[in-house]
Amino acid sequence: MSAVPSSDVDLRLPLLSPAEEPARKPEKGPDVQKLTIDDMLQEHCGEFGTWQLRHFVLTCLAWALEAFHTMVMIFADREPEFRCLGPGCDEMAKSVCGFEPGSWVWVGGAGSSTVAQWGLVCGEKYKVGLVQAVFFAGCMIGAGTFGHLSDSMLGRKGSLTVVCLLNAVFGCLTALAPGYWTYLLLRLLTGFSTGGVGLCAFVLATEPVGSSKRGVAGMSTFYFFSTGIAMLSGIAYIFPSWRELYIASSIPSILFLVIVLPFISESPRWYLVRGRINEAMTLMRTIAKSNGKHLPDGVVLALDEDVNESYVNEQSDKQGFAAKEAITGSVIDVIRSPVTRIRLVLAVAINFMCSVVYYGLSLNVVNLDTNLYLNVVLNAVAEMPAFTITAVLLDKFGRKPLTIGTLWFSSFFCFAGCLMGGAGIWKVVRMICGILGIFGMAGTYNLLFIYTAELFPTVVRNVALGCATQSAQMGAILAPFIVVMGGALPFAVFASCGFVGGLLAFYLPETLNRPLYDTITGMKQGEGGLSGV
């Protein structure tokens, strides 16, 4: 076949159908730069502007709700005062055990507390401790459950919604408990939902904050918990009946769900690891706009493991940024990686020991023979200076030195307390040692939340926090049994826990000014793939 003259081809080209027209190489669109969330916050959106402040305060209100549901047992399960009616009763006695039936009555009536309602005194007194242990056992289960759910399908906001709803329901049902064993079951269920409140609120509040501001923000969350304890004391004073108190302390959870939660956003980091890049980018633009900044069109969010590929073609998705496959993680993934496995073991052990000391010393300080409501308020307020000092020193000295320092500070005064006698002036000195011990441990307890969160990537952050929280709940269960020993032995145990906890912290890496990694792979790349760091 003879070749067609080029002039004839030129004449026929306009008559060819579009399908037959020779394909042209598409022009390359402008390049889009990949940035991690930390880099985007620092360079374009603002690390802690108006949007983060509003979101932080609204989210941290949930900490006050956790304080309500956790500390309500101090007032609801208290042993009220009694009044003698006749012979067979001693007004000077500290217990009603051995009194003649009908010779005394509870001040405030049988409905003043569960102890008065069901006679949880003398041989039945162990049931009060059992309720406390069961509640913290529920917290332990709930922390692990909602730690996983908040990292996977429910997300941070979804998990916070569920736990607050369950808290409101179980709290109100507790007020209707017809007997002790129903009450015990409902406290277990309340503990299950309460165990997820703090960790979900903490992660949701701090993940949108830039790396240079995250430490102080994370440390500030505990002010809301301590404020909640102080507020609960006022609520308990207004509602002396334990049934009324449970309803009054549960209503704020309902108000939070209706009034506050609609104005809280999901974490952009969770969107990113779930492959929902459009939602993540929309939220980052909102943050930038609210903070008076502008997010350029030439940047796009990416996981830290993908940032090495610095540029992508904007034409890859005509409808926006292409959705990626969701990345999920579990505690199995944490254990498989040498980097995160060692961190998890250390974090669990340190949180356990810290909790034993914190709750143990709290019981020693609160159980003074003075006004219960005032004691609870003073105990809550006394912790706040520790939060302030650790927050100020956090970015100056770093997480690791401060963790070691506060643990050993508490250990020193606990050890001093165990050397003091139990009479005269030495009894006062021992009390002061206990207060200084809880002062140091309150700072540690606060610090461990932000430190643990920074030790693990987004994809397993809540799972790891859940494990650490579970270990802390185990410590809370054990603490009352140590206190029961009495004398100098509890202080010796608390001193040992603080000292060993400080030693273990030496093996943790410093996370000051380090990024919040998205994936385990990204963490390995960022940390150089070294085991144990």
Side-chain angles (χ1 to χ4, degrees):
M1 182 180 295
S2 60
V4 180
S6 59
S7 58
D8 292 343
V9 173
D10 293 337
L11 292 174
R12 291 175 57 188
L13 275 176
L15 302 179
L16 293 175
S17 63
E20 295 175 296
E21 188 171 341
R24 295 182 179 179
K25 184 177 181 180
E27 295 182 4
K28 185 178 181 180
D31 288 327
V32 178
Q33 183 183 9
K34 288 181 176 181
L35 291 177
T36 64
I37 287 183
D38 278 335
D39 290 338
M40 189 174 288
L41 288 171
Q42 185 176 12
E43 297 177 17
H44 302 293
C45 301
E47 294 190 274
F48 196 80
T50 303
W51 188 95
Q52 284 101 334
L53 177 61
R54 177 185 62 82
H55 185 264
F56 179 83
V57 171
L58 292 178
T59 305
C60 286
L61 290 176
W63 275 99
L65 304 181
E66 180 178 357
F68 289 170
H69 293 284
T70 301
M71 299 303 180
V72 67
M73 67 178 69
I74 296 176
F75 303 100
D77 300 338
R78 77 188 192 281
E79 182 174 335
E81 297 179 354
F82 64 90
R83 184 177 68 253
C84 289
L85 298 178
C89 174
D90 182 6
E91 290 278 5
M92 302 303 294
K94 294 185 177 181
S95 172
V96 298
C97 297
F99 289 177
E100 294 290 334
S103 64
W104 60 276
V105 292
W106 293 113
V107 175
S112 58
S113 76
T114 58
V115 171
Q117 184 87 64
W118 297 309
L120 307 181
V121 292
C122 304
E124 299 290 301
K125 193 172 183 178
Y126 76 93
K127 291 184 177 179
V128 177
L130 182 60
V131 170
Q132 182 178 3
V134 165
F135 174 83
F136 284 118
C139 289
M140 183 175 63
I141 299 171
T145 301
F146 289 104
H148 173 72
L149 291 175
S150 62
D151 276 338
S152 54
M153 60 182 185
L154 285 184
R156 280 74 161 120
K157 182 180 178 180
S159 296
L160 185 61
T161 303
V162 172
V163 294
C164 288
L165 178 62
L166 292 178
N167 264 351
V169 172
F170 294 145
C172 290
L173 289 177
T174 303
L176 305 176
Y180 171 80
W181 296 109
T182 305
Y183 176 71
L184 184 75
L185 174 62
L186 288 169
R187 286 303 288 166
L188 172 67
L189 295 174
T190 305
F192 173 75
S193 54
T194 303
V197 174
L199 70 94
C200 292
F202 178 85
V203 174
L204 184 57
T206 56
E207 281 193 336
V209 179
S211 58
S212 68
K213 307 295 183 182
R214 192 182 307 121
V216 174
M219 298 292 285
S220 301
T221 58
F222 280 81
Y223 286 110
F224 293 85
F225 185 81
S226 296
T227 302
I229 297 175
M231 292 174 61
L232 177 65
S233 184
I235 295 173
Y237 185 80
I238 297 172
F239 299 97
S241 168
W242 73 271
R243 295 187 187 273
E244 293 176 353
L245 177 59
Y246 269 107
I247 293 177
S249 61
S250 299
I251 288 176
S253 293
I254 300 175
L255 297 177
F256 181 83
L257 287 168
V258 175
I259 299 175
V260 178
L261 203 59
F263 298 97
I264 295 177
S265 301
E266 180 56 85
S267 168
R269 297 180 190 273
W270 182 79
Y271 278 142
L272 182 61
V273 299
R274 297 295 292 179
R276 297 165 61 174
I277 301 180
N278 276 330
E279 288 96 326
M281 286 299 301
T282 299
L283 182 54
M284 296 301 286
R285 291 191 185 96
T286 301
I287 294 174
K289 183 177 180 181
S290 298
N291 291 344
K293 297 181 178 293
H294 174 67
L295 184 61
D297 293 333
V299 294
V300 59
L301 283 174
L303 297 171
D304 41 30
E305 65 183 41
D306 295 332
V307 169
N308 289 334
E309 302 173 14
S310 299
Y311 297 96
V312 292
N313 193 287
E314 192 184 50
Q315 303 299 322
S316 60
D317 188 349
K318 296 181 180 179
Q319 302 302 321
F321 302 108
K324 296 189 67 173
E325 182 180 353
I327 300 176
T328 59
S330 67
V331 69
I332 302 299
D333 298 306
V334 179
I335 296 173
R336 281 175 181 166
S337 170
V339 176
T340 54
R341 178 171 62 244
I342 296 175
R343 294 183 180 190
L344 182 65
V345 172
L346 292 172
V348 164
I350 295 171
N351 274 272
F352 173 80
M353 294 179 185
C354 176
S355 183
V356 169
V357 181
Y358 177 80
Y359 283 102
L361 289 175
S362 294
L363 291 175
N364 281 347
V365 173
V366 173
N367 292 335
L368 299 175
D369 192 18
T370 54
N371 185 280
L372 176 63
Y373 304 99
L374 182 60
N375 274 342
V376 173
V377 172
L378 293 178
N379 189 59
V381 173
E383 295 179 1
M384 293 186 180
F387 302 157
T388 304
I389 293 173
T390 49
V392 171
L393 300 179
L394 183 65
D395 290 333
K396 183 176 182 180
F397 293 101
R399 281 66 162 149
K400 180 176 177 177
L402 203 55
T403 300
I404 298 170
T406 52
L407 281 167
W408 282 359
F409 180 91
S410 178
S411 176
F412 173 80
F413 284 102
C414 287
F415 179 71
C418 78
L419 299 179
M420 303 301 164
I425 188 64
W426 300 113
K427 183 178 181 179
V428 177
V429 174
R430 175 182 285 185
M431 182 188 71
I432 295 173
C433 288
I435 293 173
L436 291 173
I438 196 173
F439 175 84
M441 198 55 67
T444 308
Y445 206 87
N446 186 12
L447 171 62
L448 281 178
F449 253 84
I450 184 67
Y451 197 9
T452 305
E454 291 180 343
L455 286 171
F456 299 92
T458 302
V459 71
V460 292
R461 182 167 297 121
N462 267 21
V463 169
L465 265 178
C467 292
T469 304
Q470 283 180 307
S471 67
Q473 301 304 338
M474 291 178 65
I477 294 172
L478 181 61
F481 298 101
I482 298 175
V483 173
V484 168
M485 297 176 185
L489 187 56
F491 279 96
V493 174
F494 300 151
S496 300
C497 287
F499 181 74
V500 174
L503 287 179
L504 293 177
F506 268 104
Y507 296 94
L508 288 174
E510 178 56 69
T511 59
L512 177 63
N513 295 327
R514 299 295 297 171
L516 277 185
Y517 294 102
D518 298 316
T519 63
I520 294 177
T521 301
M523 173 172 282
K524 289 179 180 178
Q525 295 173 350
E527 301 289 350
L530 297 177
S531 175
V533 297

